[in-house]
């Protein structure tokens, strides 16, 4: 039996992949969807993690499996990209679905916001304004479309800051596993242009775009997503 491990997105859970899991299991695929550390009360982090901490956790989690398929969605895609770059020999195939991990190029808007943030750090560093600093930083991340940061609290806010600092563009050329890239045509969280970058940089990859679908095809088009995944898994 072929095994597929699915790594869910930020602030998500295994339940949101239940429909896809049931469809694939009916076709004879073993599907494992762990809750990523930090997103359940029973799995709270006692310190801020970076991406390497998640890689170490996943290496340990998957150590009893021989070769398996790995699917990473959104934040889970970050983990999947970095794991595949370092542990390709453990994978039968890689699936990246609306995967995050590539820092956007700094355009005029982003550069302007960056300089404003530098000024803001100086201003809000003044003692009378320090209580407003966190609110101002949240607004900055909203402008950069990092809404996960705004929603995160405590240790998880520090975790997402560490994760967002790492650009995985250079890791893509190190992936030697056959890779399927799946994207929602109307994804606003991670725009479809990043799918084409992944396709260009990952040597053995192909791209499937699901029409009229946003960032969560597992919820918006689970049947179509499952069909694409199944074709890939059965072909290898």
């Amino acid at each position: 039996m072929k095994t597929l491990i699915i790594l869910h997105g930020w602030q998500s859970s295994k339940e949101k992949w239940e429909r896809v899991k049931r469809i694939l299991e009916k076709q004879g695929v073993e599907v494992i969807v762990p809750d990523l550390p930090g997103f359940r009360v029973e799995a709270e982090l006692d310190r801020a993690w970076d991406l390497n901490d998640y890689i170490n956790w996943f290496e340990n989690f998957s150590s009893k499996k021989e070769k398996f398929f790995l699917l990473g969605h959104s934040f889970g895609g970050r983990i999947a990209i970095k794991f595949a770059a370092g542990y390709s020999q453990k994978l039968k195939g890689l699936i990246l679905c609306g995967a995050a991990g590539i820092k956007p190029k700094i355009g005029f808007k982003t550069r302007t916001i960056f300089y404003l943030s530098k000024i803001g750090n100086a201003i809000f560093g003044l003692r009378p304004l320090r209580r407003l600093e966190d609110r101002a930083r949240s607004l900055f991340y909203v402008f950069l479309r990092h809404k996960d940061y705004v929603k995160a609290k405590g240790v998880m806010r520090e975790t997402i800051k560490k994760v967002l600092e790492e650009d995985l563009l250079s890791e893509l050329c190190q992936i030697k596993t056959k890779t399927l890239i799946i994207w929602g045509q109307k994804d606003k969280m991670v725009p479809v242009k990043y799918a084409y970058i992944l396709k260009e940089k990952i040597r053995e990859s192909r791209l499937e775009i699901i029409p009229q679908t946003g960032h969560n095809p597992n919820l918006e088009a689970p049947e179509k997503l499952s069909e694409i995944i199944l074709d890939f898994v059965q072909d290898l």
Side-chain angles (χ1 to χ4, degrees):
M1 179 181 288
K2 295 181 178 181
T3 299
L4 170 66
I5 301 178
I6 298 175
L7 302 180
H8 65 69
W10 189 267
Q11 298 288 8
S12 189
S13 66
K14 62 186 179 184
E15 285 78 13
K16 293 184 179 180
W17 284 87
E18 189 58 34
R19 177 63 180 154
V20 172
K21 184 175 188 290
R22 287 201 303 268
I23 293 171
L24 294 176
E25 286 182 336
K26 284 181 181 178
Q27 299 301 319
V29 180
E30 179 189 24
V31 181
I32 301 170
V33 192
D35 278 315
L36 297 179
F39 300 100
R40 294 278 196 187
V41 173
E42 62 271 21
E44 289 183 346
L45 303 180
D46 56 6
R47 61 175 179 83
W49 278 22
D50 59 18
L51 198 52
N52 285 328
D53 289 310
Y54 278 100
I55 294 299
N56 292 336
W57 165 82
F58 184 66
E59 184 186 4
N60 182 63
F61 175 84
S62 62
S63 61
K64 293 182 181 179
K65 290 290 179 183
E66 292 184 2
K67 294 194 79 170
F68 54 88
F69 291 88
L70 176 61
L71 185 155
H73 173 243
S74 195
F75 167 68
R78 291 179 185 270
I79 302 171
I81 287 170
K82 190 156 188 176
F83 185 83
Y87 299 92
S88 285
Q89 74 280 2
K90 296 197 67 173
L91 300 180
K92 285 186 176 179
L94 174 67
I95 304 171
L96 299 174
C97 180
I102 302 174
K103 280 189 175 182
K105 290 183 180 180
I106 299 178
F108 175 77
K109 177 183 173 182
T110 307
R111 192 179 294 111
T112 301
I113 295 171
F114 174 77
Y115 285 122
L116 288 175
S117 75
K118 298 289 281 187
I119 296 170
N121 284 338
I123 293 173
F124 290 109
L126 299 173
R127 184 171 296 176
L129 298 175
R130 281 178 188 167
R131 61 191 178 86
L132 301 175
E133 183 177 7
D134 196 52
R135 186 177 300 175
R137 183 178 288 109
S138 293
L139 288 172
F140 173 69
Y141 275 90
V142 167
F143 278 120
L144 293 181
R145 293 186 178 181
H146 293 320
K147 295 180 181 178
D148 289 335
Y149 171 85
V150 179
K151 294 178 182 178
K153 305 294 181 185
V155 168
M156 294 310 289
R157 176 167 284 198
E158 292 304 310
T159 295
I160 192 64
K161 280 172 63 177
K162 285 174 177 263
V163 168
L164 290 173
E165 286 172 359
E166 189 164 355
D167 187 353
L168 299 178
L169 184 62
S170 63
E171 305 274 352
L172 300 178
C173 63
Q174 299 177 40
I175 295 175
K176 298 178 175 60
T177 305
K178 287 189 176 179
T179 302
L180 170 64
I181 302 161
I182 308 173
W183 231 266
Q185 180 189 30
K186 295 191 173 183
D187 192 336
K188 293 182 180 178
M189 185 71 71
V190 187
V192 72
K193 67 180 181 180
Y194 292 105
Y196 291 101
I197 295 174
L198 294 178
K199 175 68 178 69
E200 177 189 349
K201 299 294 184 182
I202 300 175
R203 190 178 311 155
E204 293 191 73
S205 64
R206 67 180 176 90
L207 173 61
E208 294 277 353
I209 295 177
I210 304 178
Q212 306 302 315
T213 305
H215 187 59
N216 295 294
N218 53 308
L219 301 176
E220 301 169 55
E223 289 81 10
K224 182 61 177 176
L225 176 61
S226 300
E227 177 188 325
I228 295 170
I229 292 170
L230 190 61
D231 285 345
F232 178 71
V233 169
Q234 289 181 335
D235 281 348
L236 293 183

